Every structure is written in C-alpha cells, then in structure tokens.
Amino acid sequence: MEKPQKHILVCTSCRLNGVQAGACITKNSDEIVSEFLDQLEANELSDSVMVSNTGCFGFCSKGPVAVVYPDNVWYGNITVEDVEEIVEEHILNGNIVEHLLMD
C-alpha cells in the first residue's frame, strides 16, 4: 500500500497492556472496524484509505468514535449501520455526515 489518501481511526478501547476495556468496545467498535474494512473493499478503496483501531480518545460518553484524517472530522456514537453512510458520503463524495459529528 502506498501512503493512504485518508486514514480512519476507530476507538476499540485498546489499552497499553493490550486489554480491551472501555466504553467503545462494549458498543461493538470492533465490528465497526470490520465493517469499515468491508465497505472500503466493496468500494475498491482499500488501496487509498486505511483503517486502524486505536486506544481511547478520551470521549467515552460519545463513543464509539471514528476520526477521518487528514480531514480532522470526528464522528461520535456511531454504529455498524452508520459505516456505509460515512464511506459513501464522506469518503467517496467528500460530504461530511453532519448528523454523526461529535459536538
């Protein structure tokens, strides 16, 4: 893979000791990561968009949280069902999904 055009970071509550413990993982953030990977592959974006799971962003009450870089767009309280809309609207069409933005 060359340097990605976009990078999607999803909190999966991974701690430095490797244990997943926190709010986002209890709200299926691991499934959200998988769905991002599936949606990117289905849209032939796997070579230009990277997805990574992360540790805590510190916004547990707004989790699961996903951040799209280099756009610096933070989505909160997302679900597996929101992933397709984020990929279609934001990644493919360049439109921020306003109703999912963290406030």
Side-chain angles (χ1 to χ4, degrees):
M1 171 189 256
E2 293 183 22
K3 180 181 169 186
Q5 295 174 0
K6 296 205 184 289
H7 193 170
I8 302 168
L9 306 169
V10 180
C11 176
T12 56
S13 306
C14 195
R15 302 295 192 244
L16 292 175
N17 63 3
V19 174
Q20 288 180 300
C24 292
I25 195 66
T26 65
K27 296 179 183 177
N28 303 316
S29 59
D30 54 340
E31 293 176 25
I32 290 169
V33 171
S34 293
E35 185 64 16
F36 268 118
L37 292 169
D38 290 347
Q39 287 294 321
L40 294 174
E41 185 174 326
N43 286 282
E44 299 180 359
L45 295 167
S46 298
D47 289 338
S48 61
V49 180
M50 183 177 198
V51 178
S52 298
N53 67 310
T54 71
C56 183
F57 287 121
F59 297 100
C60 298
S61 66
K62 298 177 191 241
V65 173
V67 183
V68 180
Y69 280 109
D71 305 343
N72 195 28
V73 173
W74 291 61
Y75 293 114
N77 294 307
I78 64 170
T79 65
V80 171
E81 292 76 23
D82 295 323
V83 172
E84 183 176 2
E85 182 178 14
I86 293 169
V87 170
E88 185 175 315
E89 288 300 316
H90 188 146
I91 305 302
L92 284 170
N93 297 320
N95 301 315
I96 294 172
V97 184
E98 299 284 338
H99 71 96
L100 296 175
L101 284 177
M102 282 181 42
D103 52 12

